[in-house]
Amino acid sequence: MRILSLILATASAMLLYPEQVHISWTENEGEMRVTWVTFYPISSVVSYRPILCNSPALWTYLDGSFTEFDQGDTLEIIQYINTAVIKDLDPSCFYEYSVGNYVFWSEIFLFNGRTADYSEPFDTTEVNLIVLGDWGTGDLGKYTLNLLGEEAKLRDFDAVLHIGDIAYDLNDQEGEIGNIWLNMVEHIAGNYAYMTNPGNHESPNNFTHYSNRFKMPINEANQGTSWFYSFDYGPAHFVMIDTEVYFFNSAEVIENQLNWLKADLEKANKNRGIRPWLIVLGHRALYCSINNLVPVSQINPACGSQATLLKNKLEDLMYTNGVDVFFQAHLHNYERDAPVYKNLTVPSEFDGENIHIGAKAPIYITNGNAGNVEAHNPVSPTPQEWSRFLSNDYGYGRLSIFNNTHLYYEQFSSELLECIDYVWLIKTQNSYNS
Ligand SMILES: *[C@@H]1O[C@H](CO)[C@@H](O)[C@H](O)[C@H]1NC(C)=O
Ligand SMILES: *[C@@H]1O[C@H](CO)[C@@H](O)[C@H](O)[C@H]1NC(C)=O
Ligand SMILES: *[C@@H]1O[C@H](CO)[C@@H](O)[C@H](O)[C@H]1NC(C)=O
């Protein structure tokens, strides 16, 4: 009898215990959305308070709301995805928070009150963001988990940008892999805005796992799918796009994003006096080195036919709008390219090994090697002329935009535990193309 009640208590605690806590910026300034999962439909709250600033450190209790999500593929397994949006954040504060139902509480997480920033007075001071892609569970996911987990303790970055391919896969093993991965990264994604866009691994059932588990800024065109959106932060405008529509969706869906993207880039371009940096991130690559010693028909499609398709659709938009950096993933390696347009290196006012002053085309950085069960993709033994650095070490990058003129990016090897590459971009005008 005692054993039975113990089992029941443990089982219900497991159902009630909040898990998979993660946070993201919204379409409004001064807001943080908190998302978490329970396996029992119970109303729960976020309790939070400002710290390390002039506001009184009093706890506020904010009601969450949940939606039912069937994580199973062949089985019906319902999880309850809870969210709540904390508003009116003071950028000079940090915030502690915990989610729970007054019986079971999560651990206490901490985030910075500085959020995506859409209105005056604009805060265009230095920003630091982690950029990574293609991150899964298991032993190979641990390299980046360990290094980034340590870096997260130092609080030397503001947010994480995950460019698609999440968990390998969110829906695998009846959705269990998604749960395991979200719990695995909770100490990062619960403490920093964790901004995502979809990759090909999110495609099953029209990206349902992705759209339900990740809540990104909402706009009229994305209708809350989290597939594509943009935000302003520091001296930059960031655009998260969905390259997967070109491979999995209808012409109508493609057109919908494209119209939005054109308008978004044009608007950002007009705003360059305030935010001169324009950064675009999408899962699949437009540029990655192919081995030009093998016949074109045998070339890895990701850098061959698929890259060509995406270039035809997107490259001119990037170039004419003066995009500075295009981050991509999908390839399980790291490659940094020089400014390039139509397959030709475009000389800057000055180019060095690790520096471009007055660049005149986007630089493309492939960063799809956070680590996952599919392991590495070898780098090309014969890189293209525009390729500047290649590595297949598991790792991630850190983007620092210091001010209106200086951008610095460095790539870490999570295997060697060191920085393996860096690049400076220095502007001589707000945009090379406006
Ligand atoms: C997939 O989702 C998108 C976005 O919600 C929607 O526009 C599209 O019609 C869906 N496609 C299918 C085949 O259901
Ligand atoms: C790009 O140029 C290189 C060198 O001229 C060539 O080998 C390669 O096939 C070209 N790639 C494409 C996609 O045109
Ligand atoms: C911009 O940042 C760089 C790197 O920190 C610094 O050297 C430079 O002086 C800064 N420029 C301005 C105008 O503050």
Side-chain angles (χ1 to χ4, degrees):
M1 207 40 214
R2 204 184 287 167
I3 289 176
L4 181 63
S5 55
L6 189 66
I7 290 170
L8 287 176
T10 313
S12 57
M14 279 172 62
L15 296 178
L16 294 171
Y17 192 80
E19 57 171 72
Q20 304 176 46
V21 181
H22 52 287
I23 57 177
S24 50
W25 292 326
T26 77
E27 60 283 6
N28 300 310
E29 185 171 332
E31 291 189 355
M32 189 69 89
R33 182 186 289 277
V34 185
T35 304
W36 70 100
V37 168
T38 52
F39 286 90
Y40 190 82
I42 183 166
S43 57
S44 44
V45 297
V46 181
S47 67
Y48 68 95
R49 63 171 182 174
I51 55 166
L52 303 171
C53 60
N54 287 329
S55 303
L58 301 174
W59 291 99
T60 301
Y61 296 85
L62 171 67
D63 287 335
S65 61
F66 61 79
T67 53
E68 253 182 44
F69 174 57
D70 180 1
Q71 68 172 66
D73 188 9
T74 59
L75 304 172
E76 186 186 74
I77 306 172
I78 302 297
Q79 60 168 252
Y80 299 89
I81 300 182
N82 300 257
T83 75
V85 177
I86 305 177
K87 296 179 195 241
D88 301 321
L89 295 170
D90 176 345
S92 68
C93 301
F94 275 83
Y95 287 83
E96 287 189 323
Y97 76 97
S98 169
V99 298
N101 39 53
Y102 296 100
V103 182
F104 299 103
W105 290 100
S106 72
E107 65 174 276
I108 291 178
F109 298 94
L110 178 77
F111 67 81
N112 190 335
R114 183 178 177 192
T115 66
D117 168 43
Y118 305 108
S119 57
E120 287 185 71
F122 300 115
D123 177 0
T124 56
T125 57
E126 173 180 347
V127 296
N128 293 284
L129 297 147
I130 298 299
V131 182
L132 54 79
D134 300 66
W135 192 9
T137 58
D139 287 345
L140 300 181
K142 293 230 165 74
Y143 287 103
T144 288
L145 185 66
N146 293 339
L147 188 62
L148 185 55
E150 287 305 309
E151 190 171 355
K153 290 181 195 162
L154 305 174
R155 294 216 78 96
D156 70 347
F157 60 86
D158 310 320
V160 179
L161 310 180
H162 185 147
I163 332 168
D165 280 10
I166 305 171
Y168 287 78
D169 295 352
L170 291 168
N171 59 295
D172 276 3
Q173 294 178 21
E174 305 288 338
E176 207 41 46
I177 295 293
N179 300 343
I180 290 170
W181 186 85
L182 275 158
N183 281 324
M184 177 185 107
V185 302
E186 196 187 52
H187 59 293
I188 297 163
N191 288 313
Y192 296 89
Y194 201 94
M195 310 303 287
T196 55
N197 53 2
N200 52 301
H201 280 264
E202 282 70 73
S203 65
N205 287 319
N206 201 14
F207 300 85
T208 359
H209 271 257
Y210 173 77
S211 294
N212 278 282
R213 292 174 187 259
F214 295 92
K215 308 285 177 193
M216 296 300 128
I218 298 166
N219 57 53
E220 219 170 282
N222 74 22
Q223 294 286 319
T225 55
S226 303
W227 290 5
F228 56 87
Y229 54 92
S230 65
F231 58 89
D232 293 321
Y233 191 56
H237 182 69
F238 293 87
V239 189
M240 298 288 266
I241 64 167
D242 179 359
T243 54
E244 301 316 298
V245 291
Y246 294 100
F247 304 92
F248 295 103
N249 293 103
S250 64
E252 195 188 339
V253 173
I254 291 171
E255 199 61 20
N256 177 46
Q257 176 180 218
L258 204 55
N259 290 337
W260 169 85
L261 179 61
K262 281 180 189 157
D264 190 82
L265 290 174
E266 276 166 27
K267 185 173 167 212
N269 228 0
K270 291 202 181 102
N271 205 25
R272 285 208 128 144
I274 293 158
R275 294 197 155 96
W277 296 99
L278 183 47
I279 314 289
V280 179
L281 306 96
H283 179 66
R284 271 185 232 223
L286 272 64
Y287 280 97
C288 43
S289 277
I290 52 174
N291 183 348
N292 55 23
L293 301 183
V294 300
V296 174
S297 59
Q298 289 170 25
I299 286 167
N300 153 19
C303 297
S305 55
Q306 293 171 12
T308 302
L309 184 152
L310 289 176
K311 266 185 286 212
N312 290 342
K313 303 283 182 191
L314 299 171
E315 182 174 22
D316 277 335
L317 257 187
M318 300 303 136
Y319 179 71
T320 53
N321 288 293
V323 168
D324 296 295
V325 187
F326 190 100
F327 284 102
Q328 44 194 24
H330 194 56
L331 285 303
H332 298 167
N333 54 41
Y334 169 72
E335 176 170 354
R336 173 171 62 84
D337 299 331
V340 54
Y341 181 58
K342 301 252 187 252
N343 198 28
L344 290 175
T345 300
V346 179
S348 313
E349 287 164 36
F350 173 83
D351 290 297
E353 192 92 339
N354 299 89
I355 186 167
H356 304 287
I357 301 177
K360 293 183 172 16
I363 71 166
Y364 290 80
I365 295 179
T366 304
N367 193 347
N369 215 11
N372 63 69
V373 287
E374 293 181 352
H376 305 283
N377 292 135
V379 296
S380 169
T382 57
Q384 302 291 290
E385 192 278 317
W386 32 256
S387 181
R388 289 293 171 272
F389 188 91
L390 292 139
S391 161
N392 70 358
D393 280 11
Y394 297 117
Y396 64 91
R398 188 168 187 277
L399 173 68
S400 300
I401 308 183
F402 292 114
N403 51 42
N404 287 0
T405 51
H406 285 63
L407 175 151
Y408 175 74
Y409 176 80
E410 59 191 339
Q411 180 72 14
F412 300 108
S413 161
S414 304
E415 297 176 57
L416 301 175
L417 305 177
E418 64 187 30
C419 173
I420 51 170
D421 183 44
Y422 67 91
V423 66
W424 279 101
L425 286 188
I426 299 175
K427 274 186 185 290
T428 53
Q429 57 194 70
N430 286 341
S431 170
Y432 57 81
N433 256 349
S434 63

